[in-house]
Amino acid sequence: MRKFNLLVASSILIFASCTNHSEDDLVNQEPIPETVTYLDNVKPIIDANCVSCHGNSNPQAGLSLTNYTQVKNAVQNNGLINRISLADGNPSLMPTSGRMPQATIDLISQWNADGLLEQ
């Protein structure tokens, strides 16, 4: 009986210590700046996640994302925010390597809400 009680107590401790955290809990997030700009906030994200396919002389889908005007146009006319917000596994998700963290998507969405400021 004593072994049984010890086993039950151990099981309770193990299960009580397990929690389900979202991806955002696992990523060190910084707060979104008061004003989001292309040069300070969005360009580094685009450079790290998009220009490998959308930055060469023959960009994927004919969409180059190498400068402010092109990225702004992609947000306004090509559904960039929608494409990066799709669920993992969706064949239209960008980047194709997998969904960016929600905090990154939120930053680009805030840039749009702030008026797509360059600097």
Side-chain angles (χ1 to χ4, degrees):
M1 184 68 166
R2 187 173 212 173
K3 286 183 182 181
F4 177 76
N5 288 338
L6 184 58
L7 179 62
V8 170
S10 298
S11 297
I12 290 171
L13 286 174
I14 290 170
F15 289 117
S17 66
C18 295
T19 59
N20 184 14
H21 293 286
S22 70
E23 177 186 341
D24 290 342
D25 293 334
L26 303 174
V27 177
N28 184 13
Q29 294 182 30
E30 293 188 25
I32 292 178
E34 191 170 312
T35 302
V36 179
T37 67
Y38 173 75
L39 289 175
D40 291 338
N41 310 107
V42 176
K43 185 179 185 326
I45 296 168
I46 299 298
D47 288 350
N49 293 283
C50 307
V51 296
S52 62
C53 295
H54 295 283
N56 54 29
S57 60
N58 187 22
Q60 292 285 340
L63 179 65
S64 184
L65 297 173
T66 59
N67 64 50
Y68 166 75
T69 302
Q70 292 168 339
V71 177
K72 178 182 175 183
N73 184 57
V75 168
Q76 292 176 319
N77 303 308
N78 296 100
L80 184 140
I81 293 173
N82 180 57
R83 295 290 297 272
I84 65 173
S85 298
L86 296 170
D88 265 326
N90 187 312
S92 297
L93 173 68
M94 290 294 141
T96 57
S97 59
R99 194 169 194 271
M100 291 184 283
Q102 187 61 47
T104 302
I105 296 166
D106 291 345
L107 189 65
I108 295 172
S109 295
Q110 187 61 47
W111 176 57
N112 184 37
D114 287 347
L116 302 165
L117 302 173
E118 185 171 9
Q119 46 186 327

